[in-house]
Amino acid sequence: MGSAFPAGAVPAGPIPGSLPPAPAPVAQLSVDRYLGNWHQLAAIPQPYNVNCARDTEAHYGLDATGAVTVHNTCTTLWGSRNEITGTATVNDPVTRAQLHVSFPGVPTQNHRSGPTNYIVTALGPDYSWAVVTDPYRVSGFVLSRNPSLDPVQWRAVKQAVEAAGENTCVYLTSPTVGGLETTAPMCLT
């Protein structure tokens, strides 16, 4: 991982056409409502965030030009803070739920524009939680405005992950102050 852990960044994936079609995005994403702070409650482990032990968060905002900014932070295994800042570019003008997330200096993610690597596949009706993956289902993130979800929300999240063609047992929970304190397969929560 080095010093970066881009949420939504996808390493070089499988050969296109070797997997089923990409997961479907939500019908309509209001980027303005999506902005703000999100807690990562579960994720498919990635090499770039291996040293993030807990309290992984993403903050989406707008810069002076109106571009979407992405600022990710976490607490490392050693108790220090890790962070990286990048941008997100909407690639799908119809749903606005397919984006290219980029981070300077991160291989395959260092250009501001590029192929979709961040698909919002499900949202809580009040934008209280989101499920995000990529076209190849290599990455996956469960995000929440709060550090925890109630049992009804967890059921909806698990159904959304499965609807995107992913296995809930591949996702590991992310320890968060005020939320789950252990790392375990999401299918066991």
Side-chain angles (χ1 to χ4, degrees):
M1 172 171 150
S3 64
F5 66 99
V10 179
I15 299 168
S18 65
L19 291 176
V26 294
Q28 186 66 47
L29 176 71
S30 168
V31 174
D32 289 340
R33 288 184 70 192
Y34 199 77
L35 299 176
N37 292 321
W38 292 91
H39 299 272
Q40 177 184 293
L41 300 188
I44 296 174
Q46 300 294 313
Y48 51 75
N49 67 359
V50 71
N51 72 350
C52 287
R54 61 179 307 108
D55 302 316
T56 302
E57 297 181 15
H59 177 79
Y60 299 97
L62 296 176
D63 68 14
T65 68
V68 177
T69 60
V70 181
H71 183 79
N72 293 338
T73 62
C74 76
T75 301
T76 69
L77 295 167
W78 305 275
S80 61
R81 182 178 166 109
N82 192 6
E83 59 187 296
I84 189 168
T85 299
T87 59
T89 303
V90 174
N91 281 349
D92 175 2
V94 175
T95 70
R96 300 185 58 80
Q98 298 185 84
L99 302 97
H100 174 76
V101 178
S102 61
F103 295 93
V106 176
T108 74
Q109 303 302 310
N110 55 350
H111 297 288
R112 196 167 181 150
S113 62
T116 294
N117 61 6
Y118 188 102
I119 302 171
V120 180
T121 61
L123 280 168
D126 55 356
Y127 281 60
S128 60
W129 59 265
V131 174
V132 177
T133 189
D134 65 83
Y136 305 110
R137 297 172 182 87
V138 173
S139 67
F141 304 92
V142 174
L143 306 175
S144 174
R145 297 294 188 179
N146 296 308
S148 65
L149 294 174
D150 65 36
V152 172
Q153 291 171 314
W154 271 117
R155 274 193 300 281
V157 163
K158 289 176 185 179
Q159 290 171 347
V161 167
E162 291 169 355
E166 293 181 304
N167 182 335
T168 59
C169 291
V170 175
Y171 280 71
L172 297 181
T173 58
S174 303
T176 305
V177 170
L180 296 173
E181 285 296 321
T182 59
T183 300
M186 187 171 73
C187 60
L188 301 178
T189 58

